[in-house]
Amino acid sequence: MLGTVPHFLDTLPFDWSRPESRELHDFLAGIHFREGPVVEFAVRAGVKPATVAWDRPMHSVWHDLITKARNQNRLRALLEQVAENDEAVALRLRELMAAEPVVEAPAAVDSGVVWKGFDARDAWERQIFDQPTLLDVAFMRRGVELAPAVVRLLVTLESGRAYGTAFRIGEDLLLTNHHVLYDIGPGPGPGPDPRPGPATRVEAWLHYELDTAARHRAHTVLRCRPETITGDPAHDWAVIRADGPLPDDIPVVELADAEPVSVGERVSIIQHPNGGVKKIGMHHNIVRHVDDDVIQYWTDTEAGSSGSPVFNERWQLVGLHHRWVAVEEFGKREFRNQGRRISRVAEGLASAGVL
C-alpha cells in the first residue's frame, strides 16, 4: 500500500517526477491530440480554460492542463470527463486512478556494457532522443482516410503538357499551385514563345496509386473545367473546378481550424512525385522555419509534388507545398522544401470569392 505517500493525482503541486504522472500524460496526449475535444473536457470538468496555454502542440497542452487542473482541484473531474463514453479509455484511467496505480513493469538493473556519450534517462530506453516520435495508430488510419483527397493532375498548357498534385477542398473544387495551372512562358522549344495564361485542358487522376501487393489500382480520370481556374501568382495557389461533383469516397480536406505549426514539429506530405503514383513523405520531416507566409521543412518531395497538402501530426492542413529553397545558416548551406501557410492561401481564396 502507499501508506502516507499521497496518490499521485492528489500531490500539490502536481509531482511530475513520478512515473504514474508521466504515464498519465503520455496516455492522454496519445489518445486526444485534437484541441476541440480537450477544451470540452476541461470546460465540463470546471477547469478555467483561460488559464491553459492552448496555442501549442497538444503534448505541451496536456502537460499544462494537468498541472492547472490539479491546481484548481479539478484533475479527477477532468479524468472522469475523458473516460466518459469510452470504455477502453476508462479502463486505463481506472488503472491509473486506483489506490495502487498500474504502471510499466520495472526494468531489471543492467550490469552489462554501458554506452558512452549519452545522457542517463530515468525512462530507460523507451525514448531515445529528446523529441518524442511515438504516434497513436490512429495517425495511420487518419492518413489513409485523407489520402484519396489527393489527386494527380495532367495539365495542358500552351508550352506543353505537365503534371502536378492537387487536393479536394470543396464539392467540386481542387487546390494546387499557380505555377501548375498557369503557363509562365516562354517555353524551351522553337517557334513563337507561349503567352502566359491558364491551362486549356486539365485532368484529375483519382486513386492513382499502388495497392498492398504493389499493383496499380484502377484509377479514374476526371475532366476539369479550365474556365474556372482562379489563382494568385504571388502566393502560388490556384483552384479549378471538376466537371461535376467528386465521388463520395474522395474526402474534403478542411482549410479551417488548423493549429499553427512550430519549428521542430513534424509535417507529412501526400503527393504524386515525378508524376507517378501517390506517395507520402514522412521521414526526417522536421519543420525548420515558420513565418507569416511560408513553412520550411525537411520532408521529401520531387518534381510533380507541387500543389500537395502539408499536414501536421494531427492531420490538420497547415500548408500548400510549392517548391524547394536553399538557405544559408551558420555559414552552411541547407536545402529545405517550402509550402505556403494555408492561412495565407485561405485568405486569398476568400478575397477571390472562391470560398
Side-chain angles (χ1 to χ4, degrees), residues 13-66:
F14 191 75
D15 186 357
W16 284 104
S17 68
R18 291 170 60 164
E20 307 98 304
S21 302
R22 296 192 296 272
E23 288 201 29
L24 175 67
H25 171 269
D26 293 347
F27 177 67
L28 294 174
I31 61 172
H32 287 295
F33 44 84
R34 292 187 175 87
E35 180 181 310
V38 179
V39 174
E40 291 184 13
F41 295 149
V43 172
R44 292 203 300 263
V47 180
K48 299 175 182 177
T51 64
V52 180
W54 297 101
D55 57 341
R56 295 180 299 169
M58 290 305 296
H59 194 269
S60 299
V61 168
W62 270 112
H63 189 284
D64 192 34
L65 177 57
I66 292 170

Side-chain angles (χ1 to χ4, degrees), residues 27-28 31-32 82-83 86-94:
F27 177 67
L28 294 174
I31 61 172
H32 287 295
V82 176
D86 192 325
E87 184 53 35
V89 172
L91 174 62
R92 180 62 186 129
L93 288 180
R94 283 198 296 268

Side-chain angles (χ1 to χ4, degrees), residues 73-92:
N73 199 29
R74 306 306 300 167
L75 180 53
R76 288 181 179 272
L78 175 66
L79 299 183
E80 290 170 0
Q81 290 299 322
V82 176
E84 193 175 69
N85 301 321
D86 192 325
E87 184 53 35
V89 172
L91 174 62
R92 180 62 186 129

Side-chain angles (χ1 to χ4, degrees), residues 163-180:
Y163 51 73
T165 301
F167 55 99
R168 184 184 186 185
I169 61 169
E171 181 181 12
D172 60 352
L173 195 62
L174 298 173
L175 174 63
T176 185
N177 289 146
H178 185 277
H179 74 261
V180 172

Side-chain angles (χ1 to χ4, degrees), residues 134-148:
L134 291 176
L135 297 169
D136 194 272
V137 292
F139 175 85
M140 295 185 292
R141 187 177 299 114
R142 182 56 177 156
V144 171
E145 291 172 353
L146 283 174

Side-chain angles (χ1 to χ4, degrees), residues 310-345:
V310 181
F311 295 103
N312 64 16
E313 289 185 76
R314 294 160 297 284
W315 286 108
Q316 296 170 323
L317 182 66
V318 295
L320 172 66
H321 174 73
H322 75 134
R323 59 169 296 178
W324 63 268
V325 295
V327 297
E328 294 285 340
E329 192 169 77
F330 306 116
K332 295 183 179 180
R333 195 180 193 202
E334 177 184 317
F335 292 97
R336 302 172 181 170
N337 280 312
Q338 178 174 285
R340 290 290 176 185
R341 288 188 61 161
I342 203 62
S343 56
R344 181 68 67 228
V345 176

Side-chain angles (χ1 to χ4, degrees), residues 169-170 173 241 255 346 349-355:
I169 61 169
L173 195 62
R241 296 191 181 276
L255 299 186
L349 289 165
S351 296
V354 176
L355 292 178

